[in-house]
Amino acid sequence: MAKLKDLSKKQELLSGGHRACAGCAHPIAIRQILMAANMPVVIGCATGCLEVTTTIFPYTAWKVPFIHSAFENSAATVSGVETAYRALKKRGKLDKDIKFIALGGDGGTYDIGFQSLSGAMERGHNMIYICLDNGAYMNTGIQRSSATPKGAHTTTSPAGKVIPGKREFRKDMTSCMIAHNIPYIAQAVPSMWNDLVTKVQKAIAVDGPAFINILVPCRLGWGYPPEDTIEIGREAITSCYWPLYEVENGKYKITHAIKEKTSIADWMKKQVRFKHLFNPGNESILEEIQARIDQDWERLNELCKM
Amino acid sequence: MKTLGWKGLPIGGLILEGGTAQQYITGGWRTMRPVIDTEKCINCLTCWCYCPDSSIRVENEKITGFDLDHCKGCGICAKECPPKVQAIRMVAESEIRG
Amino acid sequence: MAKRVAMTGNEAMAEAMRQINPDVVAAYPITPATEIVQIFSSFVADGLIDTEFVNAESEHSAMSACIGSAAAGARTMTSTSSQGLGLMWEMLYIASGLRLPIVMAEVNRALSAPINIHCDHSDTMGARDAGWIQIFSENAQEAYDNMIQAVRIAERVLLPIMVTTDGFIISHGMETMELLSDDEVKGFIGEYKPQHSILDVEHPITVGAIDFTDYYFEHKRQQIEAMNTAIPHIVEIGKEFAQLSGRGYDLIEGYMLEDAKIAIVALGSTVGTARVVVDELRNKGIKAGLLKIRVFRPFPAKEIADVLQHVKTIAVMDRSDGVNGRGGPVFGEILAALYFLIERPIVVNYIYGLGGRDTDMKQIQDVYKYLKIVAAGGLLNDRPAEYLGVRE
Ligand code: SF4
Ligand code: SF4
């Protein structure tokens, strides 16, 4: 198990001076990912909040090699980098061991980049794909994605007079990746740094593709005070909105046991994007959401027994 | 950083050095400033781990202060400092600057 | 000793790729370029080369993987056609903006709708402003030769490059041609030494940063300059290739142009047909000429103006249409090239061969016939373009 005291001795690989919002969870997650890496890494990143805020020319916050090409192709781009690495290594032009990490937001992963991610995982590249899911297209001004939770208000699924926010449940992306039968898949939240660091280290150790879905709370799109980022992430875990689990070679495991499950409504109440759901008449939506979470949680527990 | 013309820029929009964002000051975004009471601090490093702006300085496993050039004053450090310790307070910049 | 073989254009391009033995090829099959990828993957499967081959799940991802690979400092190639090039569109601009020397074997094919698998130039012409060097081949021999030169050109000027053939006409047509030996190709292309690589973990670079209004224009201006200054490099590498192979290459190639009164400007396989017609007309004492454009990007405007300035009437052959632009894309470029002359030739535009419509000698003869009438002061209509070989 990693200790903060040891991690603090490593070189800081993401500098300050990036332009993420105050309290943004993206850089927190990235710092933990880079802290976890016990070997040189090369990062690829899809267009999105993270890319835009950390690489405004001529300023880059990255102290590791970084490539961004477009929105829907982080996995494809990194598959090219990883292939080049294998080719050059084979030809004796390179001898270092390097790990490749592709990053994408929920838009770049669940939606527009779904195909390129699927292709790269199927081809078996030796890379980790990490989705930083903040539940909407936050970079362009909070538009709905297929990761947006049911009921959430976004600028393209607004809570209107007749439609109370997003009508559909979110896509279960982690399960989609599990169906790819890759060696390692996990869900994490930066609020549990130790769990996240351990998972990244496990993914790095895999010889082949790995996928980690990280929930990154967004104070702007979710609507909460910036200092609450870590707490709101913690409650995403305890409410079972974002259970911490992993699937290692097909074996499911909950990595953080829930002693006392908190209600999803309590979590939602703290976020402006769900405010309208607490108006009279919307009770059934809250019930539906809670029912789905209970059902998913039960199913996950069943899968862990297998 | 000098604003170069097209003849002087590296090709392809490349940034040839890591971490140049360090030269960009985001401290001006801050309305609240973290202030630490080193007497109270138990050096658990929780705040360091959760700072989004790499703005908490650690030397030899101990918190030595804040990088106020980059700290945006989000308040995460103050909030995540263990409840029994509460070594960090957020103070309004206006109070400090007068 | 040069080896004479019979090959299709696709086979010739795949053979060039085998001899180049790039570090990485990432591609997706599409008619009529599919064979290039097929043949190449069998070279890999049979261990004839040790290129790492990425079977991408789409052309968009193929080009994305090429970008990643080239940014990692690997010699990188791909192949596509038509809709495939269309799907790559976004990434074409990124490849050139990042100044990555990717080499593409592109087989010209019409764009949908209606879906059509045959040759025209609408795919390549649509990509003409994507910042890629574009070289058109007249036959399989040229396709092969151009591919080998392309590696040198791309790596010298740090721009991506597409070498094109005409779908089916060249890609599937069997020809006798000469091959260089593997060693000759290896010696000619040399070793690729990238300036920067994202695999250099000791010197971490950032590729693909975002520019605000303060830098975008400068970065683009720099990229434009790279294209402008590519011209002498292409010429020089063509000359070097001539020394090796005995086959010379320039930006453009005039045929019977020196004293020509009437001339056609064309690209790709049509040049071969037009050459035969020119011979015929010359036999009859008619001063007909022909200009082949080999390099369309960067556009050799000055060189073109130099060789065409004395010609009275010129027909520009476009195998794609601007759809209500003023004529086809080649036409527009030629007019711009000639505009600065004090005495300008009369230039007309022909749109021909869309969707693989056969362009025979008769059609080309008709074009020269019309040029003769116009040269003699005959009727010049004000239509933006004539359509050759289409039913009314
Ligand atoms: S206030 Fe926020 S940015 Fe400043 S040191 Fe604390 S956690 Fe870091
Ligand atoms: S969280 Fe509090 S106790 Fe822990 S290191 Fe930071 S200031 Fe000190």
Side-chain angles (χ1 to χ4, degrees), chain A residues 5 8-9 14-20 23-24 27-28 31 58-60 62 190-191 193 227-228 230-231 234, chain B residues 1 14 17-22 24 26 29 43-45 48 50-54 61 70 72 74-76 79-80:
Chain A
K5 291 208 162 31
S8 74
K9 286 177 190 141
L14 187 81
S15 81
H18 59 72
R19 290 356 129 82
C24 174
I28 307 175
R31 287 186 62 228
Y59 303 106
T60 179
W62 300 87
S191 310
W193 66 267
E227 65 270 22
D228 287 354
I230 299 300
E231 188 179 272
R234 247 189 316 259
Chain B
M1 206 173 267
L14 299 180
E17 205 188 315
T20 52
Q22 195 73 28
Y24 189 85
T26 50
W29 297 16
N43 290 303
C44 64
L45 308 190
W48 166 79
Y50 289 136
C51 172
D53 292 281
S54 316
E61 306 181 359
H70 299 105
K72 293 172 189 154
C74 67
I76 289 177
K79 176 128 190 191
E80 292 304 318

Side-chain angles (χ1 to χ4, degrees), chain B residues 14-45:
Chain B
L14 299 180
I15 303 174
L16 298 178
E17 205 188 315
T20 52
Q22 195 73 28
Q23 298 163 42
Y24 189 85
I25 306 302
T26 50
W29 297 16
R30 205 173 46 239
T31 53
M32 302 289 278
R33 177 188 293 199
V35 177
I36 188 167
D37 182 343
T38 43
E39 298 285 296
K40 284 193 194 166
C41 170
I42 56 166
N43 290 303
C44 64
L45 308 190

Side-chain angles (χ1 to χ4, degrees), chain A residues 13 63 100 105 115 127 144 147 156 158 164 168 193 198 203 215 241 259 261 273 284-285 299:
Chain A
L13 295 173
K63 292 186 191 170
F100 299 90
Q115 171 190 311
M127 64 188 255
R144 156 225 208 270
T156 52
E168 305 80 14
W193 66 267
T198 308
L215 185 75
Y241 173 79
K259 287 185 202 102
K261 198 168 154 204
R273 62 176 171 164
S284 66
I285 301 174
R299 193 176 138 260

